[in-house]
Amino acid sequence: MKANQLSRLIQINHVLAKHRLDEVIKAIHLLRPLRYFSFLSPHRWRNKQSTLPRGERLRLALQDLGPIFVKFGQVLSTRRDLLPPDIANSLAKLQDQVAPFPAEQAKQLIDKAYEAESLNELFAHIEPEPLASASIAQVHAATLKNGEQVVIKLVRPGIEPIIKRDIALLYTLASFAERYWSEGKRLRPREIVAELEKNLFDELDMLREASSASQLQRNFEGTTLLYVPKIYWKLTKPNILVQERIYGTPISDTEGLIAKGVDMAKLAEMGVEIFFTQVFKHSFFHADMHPGNIMVDIHDPKKPKYVAVDFGIMGTLSPDDQRYLAENFLAFFNHDYRRVAELHVQSGWVPADTRLDEFEAAIRSVCEPIFARPLKEISFGQLLLRLFQTARRFNMEVQPQLVLLQKTLLNIEGLGRDLYPDLDLWKTAKPILETWMKEKMGWQAALRTLQQEAPHWAETLPEMPRLLYDLSKRAQEGQFNVNLASADIQQLRKEIKQASYRSAAVTAGAAFLVGAAVITGLDGYATTMFAGLPILSWVFGLWGLGLIYFSISKKS
């Protein structure tokens, strides 16, 4: 472990001790040797916050540890299938808000980005005070020379080294969790950290965010559901995003929306339609749809329109995941629990040897009490959450590609119910899913596939007779070989080889230690002594300890 990681680890231990999170210190293997120092901290005995619930103490600790740990807490808050409800609810309150960097520094960043052009030629005015400031970037209002109002999003200077340091430490902690925590391997914490790392570095790339906004804009072009601000590509750089400044009523201002005469039922149903359209029609969805990133255009209260901002985190699903999710949703609401169990096995979400009858019974025990309520009271997000919790008993592995989807679904559903408590989410979602299934699995889908593949078949079919003749001839002559060397086999060979090296190193190290002890115990053995022991004992002992340490460090 590097010196900067060790110092950061000590700081983490101090913050956890400050908030009396002893159970977290004990659970993290790497912090156990440091836990005794926590008793020397004056915060441990003077901190009045120690009487707060554990979820609140954890939230405050993550805030103290900085923006990267705040982001990590936000990712964890979406894993309600893994966390106790009190902790998940507290972590959901984490806000990615930090003090803004100085206006002069912001101006220097903008000057540097447009070094070939004068700012006076590009902008009529740039507001020195930011509109918003977060861990990755901050936003300034500006006016172009032609009078158009825009916002400038600047990546926070010096944030990348901080991200790399904390992500490296999180990987270390995740590795220890996988080794020493009974649930570690199944929950795949390193993949969760990898997902966080990908999201953070995606958010650093303003060109990527701009391209995501443009793609979302094209997807909803010609519809009245969602408006995406215009991107000014000529002014956008890797660390600067310039886009149209938009105005609207915050989605959380329900009283204001009602006062303006907005049809709240229609607005809630539109939000659900936007989500399912993104997921199942476009396979590209805004994955950070919290109230701060959504506004409503109410120029015509009878025809409201959603306005989205902040496209740093976007989600995608593979065609297989789309199909399994759509079939799962439809099977749920048709009470076809056998099909739900089969889909989980077919998708690889649970092991292939899972007993379908037992899994079906477990799913039924979860779903039937929920479906006994009116449809408008059923929560899609909570249904998925309960299902994942049940599937844990059948060794269901965490699916990182579904984490963003689950988080976004919970956000959308919560917003919809805040706008219109009687929202029947299934009434809105079912037609979208059924239409998608017909498009993907009906005769029209088969016809489209034939049309897409026809040019390829026309090119390869004439070669088929010759290829079949060559294949049969090689088989007759005994020249037909099947290559079974896959990447997994190569990885297995590598791990076996490394394990043999470690075993040999441990054996040799133990032999040297035994040799050192034997030389020390020889009666009357005359040799050069150091600190009461023969020099050769020191050499053998240190060499043996070195070999053992080498084998253990390689394993970790």
Side-chain angles (χ1 to χ4, degrees):
M1 180 175 289
K2 297 180 181 178
N4 63 340
Q5 286 185 320
L6 181 60
S7 64
R8 181 63 165 157
L9 198 64
I10 294 172
Q11 181 190 9
I12 292 172
N13 181 78
H14 170 72
V15 171
L16 294 176
K18 170 185 172 182
H19 294 282
R20 298 297 296 272
L21 292 166
D22 299 344
E23 60 272 27
V24 178
I25 295 175
K26 292 176 182 177
I28 300 176
H29 184 83
L30 212 56
L31 292 177
R32 290 178 186 175
L34 302 173
R35 67 183 185 274
Y36 300 107
F37 292 103
S38 66
F39 292 99
L40 303 177
S41 172
H43 291 290
R44 183 179 184 86
W45 310 109
R46 294 186 308 188
N47 190 5
K48 297 180 180 179
Q49 295 174 344
S50 61
T51 57
L52 294 174
R54 61 177 181 174
E56 288 300 304
R57 285 183 280 129
L58 181 58
R59 180 179 65 83
L60 293 171
L62 291 173
Q63 287 182 175
D64 287 350
L65 288 172
I68 309 308
F69 281 81
V70 167
K71 290 278 190 181
F72 184 62
Q74 290 174 331
V75 171
L76 283 178
S77 71
T78 68
R79 302 315 316 277
R80 293 176 177 267
D81 55 315
L82 309 179
L83 297 177
D86 61 320
I87 292 180
N89 291 335
S90 295
L91 294 183
K93 300 175 187 176
L94 282 168
Q95 297 294 319
D96 184 19
Q97 296 176 343
V98 296
F101 52 87
E104 185 60 34
Q105 195 173 11
K107 186 176 182 303
Q108 290 173 1
L109 286 173
I110 300 172
D111 274 328
K112 186 177 180 181
Y114 304 115
E115 54 187 9
E117 303 175 78
S118 169
L119 289 185
N120 293 329
E121 297 175 2
L122 301 174
F123 299 97
H125 176 68
I126 299 176
E127 288 289 343
E129 294 299 317
L131 292 173
S133 178
S135 58
I136 301 297
Q138 73 181 32
V139 178
H140 290 259
T143 305
L144 299 180
K145 295 294 287 185
N146 62 6
E148 293 183 19
Q149 292 187 323
V150 298
V151 293
I152 304 173
K153 187 174 183 179
L154 300 169
V155 174
R156 184 173 288 273
I159 190 62
E160 189 169 346
I162 296 174
I163 291 176
K164 289 181 177 178
R165 179 199 65 187
D166 283 350
I167 287 292
L169 185 56
L170 285 171
Y171 269 121
T172 302
L173 296 176
S175 297
F176 274 88
E178 286 191 356
R179 288 180 59 190
Y180 297 104
W181 185 27
S182 60
E183 294 283 302
K185 288 185 178 180
R186 186 182 63 78
L187 300 180
R188 300 191 285 188
R190 281 189 294 185
E191 291 194 14
I192 295 177
V193 176
E195 186 75 17
L196 172 66
E197 180 183 30
K198 175 184 177 298
N199 291 341
L200 286 172
F201 281 101
D202 284 352
E203 289 188 71
L204 289 177
D205 187 352
M206 293 295 104
L207 291 175
R208 184 186 182 94
E209 179 171 344
S211 65
S212 295
S214 294
Q215 178 66 53
L216 198 63
Q217 186 180 51
R218 281 195 300 274
N219 290 345
F220 283 92
E221 194 171 7
T223 74
T224 58
L225 292 172
L226 181 69
Y227 182 79
V228 177
K230 173 186 174 183
I231 300 296
Y232 291 81
W233 279 105
K234 290 184 178 179
L235 299 176
T236 297
K237 307 292 181 182
N239 65 330
I240 293 180
L241 171 65
V242 180
Q243 65 182 15
E244 171 191 2
R245 185 175 185 182
I246 46 90
Y247 297 89
T249 303
I251 192 69
S252 56
D253 184 11
T254 53
E255 292 183 0
L257 292 170
I258 293 172
K260 294 291 178 63
V262 173
D263 186 338
M264 301 301 281
K266 181 178 180 180
L267 189 63
E269 290 173 358
M270 284 173 58
V272 175
E273 185 178 352
I274 288 170
F275 170 75
F276 280 92
T277 300
Q278 289 182 89
V279 171
F280 291 104
K281 185 176 181 180
H282 304 149
S283 188
F284 186 76
F285 59 94
H286 193 306
D288 198 19
M289 296 190 76
H290 60 76
N293 287 340
I294 305 174
M295 289 182 283
V296 184
D297 180 355
I298 53 173
H299 284 103
D300 184 352
K302 299 301 179 183
K303 297 180 180 178
K305 191 171 187 176
Y306 279 84
V307 181
V309 297
D310 193 349
F311 311 96
I313 304 177
M314 306 296 292
T316 59
L317 290 176
S318 70
D320 284 343
D321 284 334
Q322 279 183 310
R323 183 168 64 84
Y324 284 126
L325 278 170
E327 288 194 62
N328 262 301
F329 283 140
L330 290 171
F332 271 131
F333 284 91
N334 290 328
H335 298 212
D336 188 353
Y337 306 123
R338 180 75 177 188
R339 183 58 181 155
V340 174
E342 290 172 349
L343 286 167
H344 275 69
V345 174
Q346 291 172 11
S347 64
W349 297 347
V350 296
D353 59 354
T354 300
R355 288 192 55 178
L356 287 177
D357 56 340
E358 292 184 359
F359 193 24
E360 178 189 358
I363 295 170
R364 181 181 293 106
S365 68
V366 168
C367 294
E368 283 301 320
I370 294 176
F371 288 128
R373 301 196 295 262
L375 278 175
K376 67 181 182 181
E377 297 180 11
I378 295 175
S379 165
F380 252 124
Q382 291 300 322
L383 183 63
L384 279 181
L385 172 61
R386 292 289 305 278
L387 177 66
F388 288 159
Q389 289 173 334
T390 301
R392 285 177 63 186
R393 291 165 38 204
F394 295 85
N395 298 316
M396 176 178 174
E397 292 189 349
V398 173
Q399 303 298 317
Q401 78 273 20
L402 301 182
V403 170
L404 287 176
L405 178 73
Q406 180 189 341
K407 164 194 169 185
T408 308
L409 177 56
L410 286 168
N411 282 344
I412 287 294
E413 192 172 39
L415 285 173
R417 292 268 160 80
D418 287 342
L419 294 171
Y420 184 63
D422 291 334
L423 173 66
D424 184 347
L425 188 141
W426 180 236
K427 178 182 176 183
T428 306
K430 187 177 180 181
I432 299 173
L433 292 174
E434 289 178 338
T435 301
W436 183 87
M437 290 291 289
K438 289 177 182 177
E439 291 177 353
K440 295 296 181 181
M441 302 185 70
W443 66 268
Q444 293 176 330
L447 181 60
R448 279 197 303 272
T449 303
L450 286 173
Q451 290 173 340
Q452 292 171 358
E453 295 294 331
H456 177 67
W457 290 346
E459 181 182 347
T460 57
L461 276 175
E463 300 178 5
M464 288 300 293
R466 180 177 57 81
L467 292 172
L468 289 171
Y469 172 75
D470 290 343
L471 183 63
S472 62
K473 186 176 180 180
R474 290 178 62 187
Q476 288 176 353
E477 295 175 354
Q479 298 177 358
F480 186 72
N481 296 320
V482 180
N483 185 10
L484 296 177
S486 67
D488 289 340
I489 293 175
Q490 294 296 333
Q491 179 65 22
L492 181 60
R493 287 174 177 169
K494 182 179 178 181
E495 290 180 0
I496 291 173
K497 190 174 182 180
Q498 290 176 345
S500 65
Y501 286 157
R502 289 196 298 267
S503 298
V506 170
T507 304
F512 276 111
L513 288 175
V514 171
V518 170
I519 293 172
T520 302
L522 289 175
D523 189 22
Y525 181 73
T527 186
T528 307
M529 306 290 283
F530 177 74
L533 295 175
I535 288 292
L536 200 54
S537 291
W538 283 105
V539 172
F540 276 29
L542 292 174
W543 187 254
L545 288 173
L547 286 172
I548 293 173
Y549 175 77
F550 170 80
S551 67
I552 294 174
S553 63
K554 282 294 183 184
K555 185 177 180 181
S556 62

